[in-house]
Amino acid sequence: MTSSTTRPTSDALLADMMLLHPKLIDLSLGRVERLLAKLGHPEKKLPPVVHIAGTNGKGSVTAYLRAFTEAAGKRAHVYTSPHLVRFHERIALAGDDGKAHAIEEDTLVDVLTRVHAVNDGDDITQFEITTAAALLAFSERPADVLLLEVGLGGRLDATNVIADPALTVIMPISMDHAEKLGPTIAKIAFEKAGILKRGVPGIVSQQPDDVLAVLESRARLVGAPLTVWGRDYDAYEQAGRLIVQQNDRLLDLPLPALIGRHQIVNAGTAVAAALTLGERIPSLAIDERALEAGLRNVEWPARMQHLTSGPLPEILGEGAELWLDGGHNPAAGDMLADTLATLDEKSPKPVYLIVGMMGQKDALGFLAPFRGLVRAIYTVPIPGAHEAPHSEENLAEVARGAGMQALDRKNVINALETIAGLSQGPKRVLICGSLYLAGHVLSLQQNLE
């Protein structure tokens, strides 16, 4: 614990907690279960929980469900990870104004101090101890629902201490975190299927056939009723509208504010989840008007976020577009390339990428979908990354090996200046490859203003 005589900050407490990290990491629920027991089981004192897993789309579906809930006049707590700029973003508490807000510094310091004291120096990962702190905070402030996003995997993730959620949601699953979850898509699907619970409805988003087989096998084993994309519900764009069909119900809704064809899947899954949740818990029923308002007003930073003002867009000059996305795996690369292609169909402009990636990510798999779509790639380091990122030199070499023009640059601002100095005329630039890089960009936007 920090030795300062003044009250510690959340940053100091989080740094102290890193010292408790086990020398050998094994995904396990034992450490967090032990800590929660010492805290008096806050995980048993929560509002109804929607537990959300998947490789891509977890954050988006959480954002949609939050928007639906708040548009219906209900209050939501929200747990997500990682954060973009400040740790406080991970724990959003329902406020008196009906909106969820990042936890206040005093409240965060209070719950971190309490869990740190109760843990009493035992080995525990930072994610486990901060998840316990989040559950403690959620248990002590009223809300109608808790939207709980899995950190990694599902079966042995610290969030899986919730024994009886109101609903589970499994978003599209693809290869990612193979070093921790397993080397095959079937193994990764098995880990994520671990959030399914007996008697608890599960909403399954669009999945490859081999993934769906694993999820359905696990559901049969534990007795979890599934609502499956393509069988029990579907969503598609038609005449500039979002059409969602579930059983014998057809909804004609506005397109979501989050752009990209993949957001049709994410939004459709969120609508199916909201309808199913309302059927199970009538007090959480969300009408069509709230669904419409939620789709129009949903916000989720660093998911094809259009940066229209501020110091970074100004570097590119008038008429240029600057976009930001935290996508970092091959499936995300496919979705981002598709989104850029769609933008180009509507308004053609030369496209450039600025990319930084963490070292364990499949850089070639992520970059390959952009071949033939972008003029050049500029690779950058990720300041303050929690683990070793790909060096900008190595990342540029990977891109060149995939047949794309690529140059390394010392930072994001240098990359933007390079692009601005190219040919005259409007350009389209996407910064992507890591949520940590996205957080750095948003921090630059704030700090340079």
Side-chain angles (χ1 to χ4, degrees), residues 74-308:
K74 306 177 194 304
R75 295 181 298 173
H77 292 326
V78 186
Y79 187 58
T80 57
S81 63
H83 59 277
L84 292 173
V85 180
R86 299 181 73 218
F87 181 89
H88 305 61
E89 301 164 21
R90 299 183 180 212
I91 306 170
L93 297 173
D96 293 337
D97 61 354
K99 306 293 184 183
H101 301 278
I103 191 170
E104 306 91 341
E105 171 72 2
D106 286 350
T107 305
L108 180 57
V109 167
D110 175 62
V111 292
L112 290 177
T113 300
R114 289 155 64 191
V115 297
H116 201 305
V118 168
N119 187 64
D120 197 25
D122 287 341
D123 281 359
I124 195 163
T125 71
Q126 189 187 64
F127 184 75
E128 290 165 347
I129 197 169
T130 54
T131 296
L135 296 176
L136 183 61
F138 293 141
S139 73
E140 294 178 344
R141 191 171 297 188
D144 298 298
V145 67
L146 166 57
L147 306 175
L148 186 68
E149 185 183 307
V150 166
L152 178 66
R155 182 174 66 95
L156 297 175
D157 185 75
T159 63
N160 207 27
V161 294
I162 307 301
D164 187 26
L167 186 74
T168 60
V169 181
I170 300 182
M171 296 304 290
I173 294 172
S174 60
M175 290 298 297
D176 200 13
H177 298 292
E179 74 284 355
K180 294 184 176 71
L181 300 180
T184 67
I185 191 71
K187 175 60 176 169
I188 292 172
F190 173 78
E191 293 299 324
K192 295 182 187 294
I195 71 167
L196 298 174
K197 302 293 191 301
R198 182 170 300 280
V200 176
I203 307 298
V204 176
S205 190
Q206 191 176 53
Q207 306 289 353
D209 289 344
D210 49 351
V211 167
L212 182 57
V214 173
L215 300 181
E216 290 185 316
S217 175
R218 180 64 183 173
R220 286 192 296 270
L221 183 64
V222 303
L226 296 185
T227 298
V228 176
W229 174 281
R231 185 188 73 194
D232 305 304
Y233 76 101
D234 198 0
Y236 50 92
E237 181 180 352
Q238 185 177 78
R241 301 281 290 177
L242 173 68
I243 308 301
V244 180
Q245 185 170 7
Q246 185 176 11
N247 299 323
D248 57 353
R249 186 173 184 180
L250 188 69
L251 295 175
D252 183 351
L253 301 166
L255 288 175
L258 304 182
I259 76 165
R261 277 194 274 256
H262 59 289
Q263 291 297 348
I264 299 298
V265 175
N266 295 339
T269 302
V271 169
L275 296 176
T276 303
L277 181 64
E279 291 169 0
R280 189 168 199 223
I281 303 177
S283 64
L284 292 177
I286 295 173
D287 62 22
E288 194 165 336
R289 207 174 332 181
L291 293 175
E292 291 176 352
L295 288 166
R296 288 194 180 99
N297 299 322
V298 64
E299 296 179 348
W300 194 231
R303 275 69 175 183
M304 278 307 289
Q305 180 180 359
H306 192 185
L307 303 178
T308 57

Side-chain angles (χ1 to χ4, degrees), residues 31 39 88 128 149 153 159 281 357 386 389 407 430:
R31 292 180 294 267
L39 290 166
H88 305 61
E128 290 165 347
E149 185 183 307
T159 63
I281 303 177
M357 299 189 73
H386 74 296
L407 295 171
L430 171 62

Side-chain angles (χ1 to χ4, degrees), residues 14-73:
L14 291 166
D16 282 345
M17 290 173 181
M18 284 299 294
L19 302 177
L20 302 173
H21 215 277
K23 298 297 184 292
L24 296 175
I25 299 302
D26 62 304
L27 290 174
S28 168
L29 294 179
R31 292 180 294 267
V32 70
E33 287 174 338
R34 179 199 68 233
L35 177 55
L36 290 169
K38 291 181 179 180
L39 290 166
H41 289 291
E43 80 281 8
K44 297 180 181 180
K45 304 169 187 175
L46 300 169
V49 173
V50 178
H51 201 190
I52 302 163
T55 305
N56 293 296
K58 294 194 303 290
S60 293
V61 83
T62 299
Y64 287 120
L65 289 171
R66 171 180 174 175
F68 297 158
T69 300
E70 293 178 347

